[in-house]
Amino acid sequence: MKYDISDIRLAGKGKLRIEWAEENMPVVRLIRERFKKERPLKGIKIACCLHVTTETAVLVNALKSGGADVKLCASNPLSTQDDVAASLVKDYKIPVFARRGENNTLYYEHIYSVLGNKVHVTMDDGADLVSTIHKERRDLVSDIMGSTEETTTGIIRLRSLEKSKKLLFPVIAVNDADTKHLFDNRYGTGQSTVDGIIRATNILMAGKVVVVSGYGWCGRGVAMRARGMGANVVVTEVEPVRSLEAVMDGFSVLPMKAAAKIGDIFVTLTGNTSVIAKEHFKMMKDGAIVANSGHFNVEIDIPALEKMSSKKRFIRSGVEEYRLKDSNKRINLLGEGRLVNLACAEGHPAIVMDMSFANQALAAEYLVKNSSGLEKKVYKVPEKIDKYISSLKLKSMGVNIDKLTPFQKKYLASWEIGT
Ligand code: ADE
């Protein structure tokens, strides 16, 4: 079996941590047990480009139990948990191509390795597999049944492909399932981003001004959790409805130029580029902390920061202190501007990834069963799957809910009954 990881000797630690995550992933466990019996993915080659974490290990193991031939590479150079990569290779016999801290060249070599000579389903977090296939590996397209996509940024890229009529196979937008973005993006990113900032810096959140850029589901989560820890949260946005929501949720909303002057900690979650740029760094307070929790490391203009600085040093693990030439002020950049929740912490907790990855597993099964009837479009996860996952999750949490009575069903279906 071919693989490329940092250190196979880390497998023991990785295996224990994978078992810990598995405990908190009851829905994926249930799917895995059914997959073991039914083998719906028998003979299907699945290339996964996901963050290599304990939770991802539980997912790929479930896919393998369903009969799939799975290969895994990282969806970010700095998010790989090397002990998990080692255990997947040693204990679960899954080929992994990922090393924490890999450079861009190796990152793409690993993408080529999981694609190999033939693939039926691709599973992306950020659309790097799909984009590589469209740009460089069109020879693979004839065998591809479709792809699944985990994250908002990936969906934006795929919809742009679809819009330009260049999409070559169907895609299931896992991110857009309610049981994904309402929980993973909000509560997962909310907690794990604050966790990453705190693990990297050990700062006290209470009393700090935290500037959250972007008020999508991820931004909402971070704003909510930072406020819960006593921070004064300022939101920056470009979209009027979201800005209004942030105002009515009780946050200050300011343009970045105004926020830059007062922030102690900045977090970007916009999916866009250059959200924190040269003019903003200039205005920041000495010692400001800057982090990104969006998918790509383009939200903070790091090349500009480099140019403006006379020197930089790692002051703590995951914290690079830049010294500005003109003012002698310091700006602290976390996790090289990559996803702070995965670069400086462990990503979202297993209990929330359980729903995201249940969607991934069932979306892969759906693609395989329905591939002949699907067009070259971006599809939503079928509502039936979303509802099924929410019901199982509630059950695993011991939460019971009411059912509509026949009388209520009839009432909801009627238009005649009024005042
Ligand atoms: N994205 C965010 N958190 C994650 C995790 N724990 N595993 C995989 N992907 C993630």
Side-chain angles (χ1 to χ4, degrees):
M1 184 177 97
K2 279 194 189 153
Y3 60 88
D4 186 38
I5 59 170
S6 286
D7 187 354
I8 197 79
R9 290 169 303 180
L10 299 174
K13 182 180 169 214
K15 183 155 191 291
L16 292 174
R17 294 205 314 114
I18 292 169
E19 284 174 24
W20 180 261
E22 201 172 276
E23 268 306 296
N24 284 302
M25 300 179 75
V27 181
V28 175
R29 277 202 324 263
L30 261 175
I31 293 168
R32 183 190 63 200
E33 292 316 301
R34 176 172 67 75
F35 275 11
K36 261 187 201 163
K37 284 189 217 126
E38 298 177 7
R39 309 275 288 171
L41 305 174
K42 192 158 179 263
I44 299 294
K45 288 183 186 294
I46 305 186
C48 300
C49 180
L50 301 168
H51 299 296
V52 181
T53 65
T54 53
E55 295 74 25
T56 299
V58 178
L59 167 66
V60 293
N61 193 24
L63 300 173
K64 191 177 176 193
S65 298
D69 172 0
V70 189
K71 290 192 180 122
L72 173 65
C73 68
S75 56
N76 186 292
L78 213 52
S79 61
T80 298
Q81 298 171 3
D82 285 325
D83 56 342
V84 171
S87 175
L88 278 172
V89 168
K90 186 165 180 223
D91 305 309
Y92 298 87
K93 311 290 176 238
I94 290 175
V96 180
F97 300 84
R99 293 169 178 257
R100 187 182 176 84
E102 62 197 11
N103 62 23
N104 245 36
T105 312
L106 189 57
Y107 177 82
Y108 277 97
E109 271 174 28
H110 286 159
I111 285 191
Y112 303 143
S113 297
V114 299
L115 290 174
N117 295 325
K118 189 176 188 160
V119 63
H120 299 116
V121 173
T122 66
M123 198 170 271
D124 252 325
D125 185 335
D128 280 345
L129 286 180
V130 171
S131 134
T132 303
I133 293 167
H134 280 71
K135 285 195 290 212
E136 302 169 47
R137 292 298 311 274
R138 288 184 175 233
D139 57 301
L140 296 171
V141 170
S142 58
D143 290 309
I144 296 180
M145 295 168 165
S147 182
T148 64
E149 172 53 52
E150 170 79 7
T151 199
T152 319
T153 295
I155 302 293
I156 292 170
R157 296 177 84 189
L158 293 164
R159 288 214 195 278
S160 136
L161 253 181
E162 182 189 36
K163 207 171 156 201
S164 60
K165 306 234 178 306
K166 290 187 179 143
L167 186 63
L168 296 172
F169 41 78
V171 174
I172 311 272
V174 164
N175 181 72
D176 294 355
D178 285 347
T179 45
K180 200 282 184 180
H181 67 271
L182 293 178
F183 303 92
D184 172 313
N185 301 27
R186 180 169 33 175
Y187 304 113
T189 307
Q191 177 168 316
S192 62
T193 299
V194 172
D195 184 17
I197 294 169
I198 291 174
R199 285 200 210 190
T201 60
N202 196 28
I203 48 137
L204 183 76
M205 279 273 175
K208 295 285 192 310
V209 175
V210 174
V211 178
V212 177
S213 290
Y215 204 64
W217 290 110
C218 294
R220 278 160 220 244
V222 174
M224 175 171 72
R225 291 302 179 238
R227 171 156 70 185
M229 295 189 82
N232 295 305
V233 177
V234 174
V235 170
T236 73
E237 241 306 336
V238 291
E239 209 279 317
V241 176
R242 285 184 177 178
S243 306
L244 209 46
E245 283 182 279
V247 170
M248 296 214 185
D249 284 343
F251 299 112
S252 308
V253 176
L254 292 173
M256 183 52 95
K257 274 192 183 151
K261 293 183 195 145
I262 58 171
D264 298 303
I265 303 159
F266 295 80
V267 196
T268 53
L269 310 97
T270 66
N272 211 332
T273 186
S274 310
V275 176
I276 299 182
K278 186 176 171 184
E279 75 240 52
H280 307 124
F281 290 127
K282 275 189 184 165
M283 295 171 180
M284 284 183 190
K285 294 199 257 184
D286 180 34
I289 292 168
V290 180
N292 165 52
S293 208
H295 187 78
F296 287 120
N297 62 338
V298 295
E299 305 209 13
I300 301 166
D301 189 349
I302 300 171
L305 184 58
E306 295 270 347
K307 267 199 208 138
M308 296 165 76
S309 303
S310 53
K311 56 184 175 187
K312 64 174 178 181
R313 58 176 179 163
F314 270 108
I315 189 156
R316 284 168 64 92
S317 159
V319 186
E320 238 169 335
E321 179 200 75
Y322 285 80
R323 178 75 66 174
L324 300 191
K325 277 183 215 157
D326 289 355
S327 59
N328 212 31
K329 285 191 290 193
R330 292 159 300 172
I331 307 278
N332 295 298
L333 176 68
L334 306 192
E336 300 173 23
R338 300 203 184 266
L339 286 157
V340 70
N341 60 339
L342 283 140
C344 299
E346 293 169 69
H348 308 348
I351 202 134
V352 79
M353 292 312 294
D354 190 27
M355 286 189 278
S356 314
F357 284 168
N359 273 292
Q360 285 285 11
L362 297 180
E365 182 186 30
Y366 178 83
L367 267 180
V368 170
K369 283 194 176 151
N370 298 283
S371 67
S372 57
L374 297 175
E375 293 172 50
K376 295 166 187 172
K377 282 187 182 166
V378 179
Y379 287 89
K380 283 199 78 172
V381 172
E383 203 185 328
K384 219 172 126 189
I385 292 184
D386 223 354
K387 289 265 182 297
Y388 173 72
I389 292 172
S390 55
S391 305
L392 286 182
K393 192 68 180 173
L394 280 172
K395 200 166 160 208
S396 77
M397 296 166 91
V399 178
N400 290 314
I401 60 171
D402 289 325
K403 277 200 174 70
L404 290 174
T405 63
F407 183 57
Q408 286 176 317
K409 272 192 194 160
K410 199 171 160 206
Y411 176 80
L412 288 178
S414 70
W415 58 268
E416 298 92 340
I417 308 163
T419 313

